Amino acid sequence: MVRQFFANRKRTKLMVLIGIVIIFCIGIAAFTRMHASKQISSGKVQTTVDVTSVQRTNLIKRISLTGQTVAEAQVDIAAKYQGKVTAVNVSLGQIVSPGQVLVVQDTGDAEISINQNQAAYQQALADAVTSEVSFNANYDKVSADYQKALASYQRNKKIFDMGGISKGDFDVAEQQLADAKAAFDALSNQMKSGVASTIQSSQASALKAQHSISAAQKQRDDLILCAPRSGMVGYRQVEVGDIVSAGQKLLSIYDNSNIYVDCQVAEEDLSALSIGMDINVQLESLGKTVPGKIIYISPAIDSQNLVFSLRIALINPDPSIRAGMFARAVIQLPLRKNTLVVPKEALVDKSGKNYVYVVTAQNTVEQRTVQIGTKGDQNVEILDGLNEGEQVAINNLARLRNEMVIVPNFVTPNDRGENQ
């Protein structure tokens, strides 16, 4: 117990000693900081500050566009009908031309349908001819019978009026005329635009059979898949013997004759861009820069992403450029020409006002209020408060005080890495 008591007492003394040392160190640090602050305020300690000249130059806006290359066209070849594939005439990477036969499905059923409809068409044509001949013969007969009955009626009426025949004989002649006229009217009423309805019906049946032939031929043609345009086969997922379903994608043709770059543009950058503007596009994967031209800017903003779409057409793209490559374009445009500017880092914003520290000939700093205009990428336009040629501080601004003595380190725009 006695040994533990002395051990605890020794540990307590050690902790007290450590605490005293820490407090002493903190006091020394605080005193040193206060002393240094007083020296800075009195000008005894000088701070090195980077200084640059206020100058007139073009205020530059840098717009960076990123996107992907897009082919002139990508056409997917899909089966229109379900069926068995009997021929595949192209391979992956093969160049095809418009109209070239790519894939053939079994056309046997379509050929049978064509033959059946052709037979039905021939039969309908024969029926139309038969109907026309039969109707014309009947029409000629009833027309002759009517003319004959009419002549007989007129003759018997004259004889009856003279008392040459009885009333019964005249009634027979009158009835024969009525019967002949009814038969003639029955056929005449079937005529429409000079053609009898029975003939028109037969002709309509023939036309229907002809359309059925065209439909069957089209179905057969749809089973033979041809290239709609020139390009390279970039996708092939079909083999001879496959049973494909309607709408199944079999091939894709890529036309890289023209390559475009699709980008998105923020609203604030849109005014600097226009259709027809020349622009260089960097393809990082190929390590090359290709000239291009803006050919399209969307007429309305995307309501979801709040950006505009832009398309650049590459001029004379070589075969190494393919669809889907990452592309970048950088445009540097002057927002203001020959205007007074200072670097952005020279500005101090306090309570809604902008200040700069002007370096005097005596190497002291003067805090001055300025009015700023348009902001570029690296510089800010100065509308009032500075004159061309004056020197302003561009770093260590938080340490500066009015009339403080500094050690200036003069830098130029090239030293700061500005790209005007």
Side-chain angles (χ1 to χ4, degrees):
M1 293 292 292
V2 175
R3 184 179 299 173
Q4 185 177 0
F5 171 77
F6 282 107
N8 292 338
R9 186 176 179 182
K10 185 177 182 180
R11 188 180 298 111
T12 301
K13 289 182 178 180
L14 181 61
M15 295 298 292
V16 171
L17 182 60
I18 293 174
I20 292 172
V21 172
I22 292 174
I23 293 173
F24 180 75
C25 292
I26 292 174
I28 291 176
F31 175 79
T32 302
R33 183 176 300 176
M34 290 177 62
H35 184 68
S37 178
K38 289 181 180 179
Q39 286 183 322
I40 291 174
S41 299
S42 62
K44 294 181 180 179
V45 176
Q46 297 180 352
T47 300
T48 301
V49 176
D50 290 342
V51 176
T52 191
S53 297
V54 179
Q55 59 180 332
R56 289 190 177 275
T57 185
N58 294 336
L59 188 64
I60 299 298
K61 174 68 173 179
R62 183 176 182 270
I63 301 174
S64 180
L65 304 175
T66 58
Q68 285 187 320
T69 54
V70 179
E72 171 71 20
Q74 175 187 342
V75 181
D76 295 332
I77 307 299
K80 188 172 182 180
Y81 299 100
Q82 180 176 351
K84 183 179 181 180
V85 175
T86 59
V88 180
N89 299 330
V90 292
S91 57
L92 198 63
Q94 181 176 337
I95 302 298
V96 298
S97 56
Q100 181 176 340
V101 177
L102 307 176
V103 178
V104 180
Q105 293 179 255
D106 186 6
T107 61
D109 292 342
E111 296 289 354
I112 293 173
S113 179
I114 292 172
N115 294 334
Q116 289 176 339
N117 285 294
Q118 284 178 338
Y121 174 64
Q122 295 298 327
Q123 182 179 353
L125 285 179
D127 291 343
V129 173
T130 301
S131 297
E132 184 175 4
V133 171
S134 176
F135 178 84
N136 290 337
N138 289 334
Y139 182 79
D140 291 342
K141 181 177 181 302
V142 297
S143 178
D145 290 344
Y146 172 66
Q147 295 299 326
K148 180 179 179 181
L150 179 61
S152 177
Y153 168 78
Q154 292 173 345
R155 184 176 59 254
N156 287 327
K157 187 175 186 305
K158 291 180 180 180
I159 297 174
F160 175 73
D161 291 340
M162 292 185 297
I165 59 174
S166 63
K167 181 68 168 61
D169 291 337
F170 178 72
D171 290 342
V172 170
E174 189 175 30
Q175 184 61 46
Q176 288 176 346
L177 175 62
D179 292 343
K181 187 177 186 306
F184 178 74
D185 289 343
L187 291 182
S188 296
N189 291 334
Q190 294 183 30
M191 303 288 286
K192 184 178 181 181
S193 301
V195 181
S197 58
T198 55
I199 298 175
Q200 290 180 342
S201 177
S202 299
Q203 291 175 344
S205 297
L207 185 61
K208 180 180 178 181
Q210 189 177 25
H211 288 324
S212 297
I213 293 174
S214 299
Q217 288 174 336
K218 186 177 186 307
Q219 181 177 1
R220 178 198 58 192
D221 295 341
D222 288 340
L223 293 171
I224 302 173
L225 306 180
C226 300
R229 63 186 303 149
S230 59
M232 176 185 293
V233 178
Y235 174 89
R236 181 181 184 272
Q237 198 63 37
V238 61
E239 300 294 341
V240 174
D242 288 348
I243 303 297
V244 297
S245 58
Q248 179 178 338
K249 179 180 173 181
L250 308 179
L251 301 169
S252 289
I253 297 175
Y254 294 85
D255 181 1
N256 286 345
S257 58
N258 291 310
I259 297 292
Y260 307 96
V261 177
D262 286 346
C263 308
Q264 293 182 332
V265 184
E267 182 178 356
E268 59 268 21
D269 296 334
L270 193 64
S271 60
L273 305 172
S274 62
I275 295 177
M277 178 183 290
D278 294 326
I279 183 171
N280 291 325
V281 178
Q282 301 173 5
L283 301 172
E284 296 183 357
S285 60
L286 300 179
K288 63 175 59 177
T289 300
V290 183
K293 187 182 295 289
I294 297 176
I295 63 169
Y296 170 77
I297 299 175
S298 60
I301 196 169
D302 188 322
S303 58
Q304 293 183 345
N305 299 325
L306 300 180
V307 293
F308 289 85
S309 298
L310 179 143
R311 170 166 283 194
I312 302 169
L314 299 186
I315 299 175
N316 298 324
D318 59 63
S320 64
I321 303 176
R322 302 175 184 271
M325 290 183 171
F326 178 77
R328 181 191 303 275
V330 178
I331 307 173
Q332 292 191 0
L333 300 172
L335 296 178
R336 296 284 190 273
K337 292 185 177 181
N338 194 31
T339 188
L340 204 64
V341 300
V342 297
K344 284 184 176 180
E345 54 267 31
L347 287 176
V348 178
D349 186 355
K350 293 181 180 179
S351 303
K353 293 184 178 181
N354 292 288
Y355 301 91
V356 297
Y357 285 99
V358 179
V359 180
T360 67
Q362 292 74 32
N363 291 338
T364 61
V365 293
E366 173 193 342
Q367 181 177 299
R368 189 181 299 177
T369 304
V370 293
Q371 181 181 354
I372 66 172
T374 304
K375 294 182 179 180
D377 291 321
Q378 295 179 330
N379 295 329
V380 179
E381 183 182 21
I382 299 298
L383 302 178
D384 188 38
L386 286 175
N387 297 314
E388 184 177 0
E390 289 188 298
Q391 306 290 329
V392 293
I394 58 175
N395 72 340
N396 290 330
L397 302 187
R399 302 177 61 183
L400 301 183
R401 299 293 183 270
N402 201 30
E403 298 183 357
M404 178 178 176
V405 179
I406 64 165
V407 177
N409 176 35
F410 295 96
V411 297
T412 65
N414 290 333
D415 295 331
R416 296 172 47 238
E418 286 189 24
N419 184 5
Q420 299 292 345

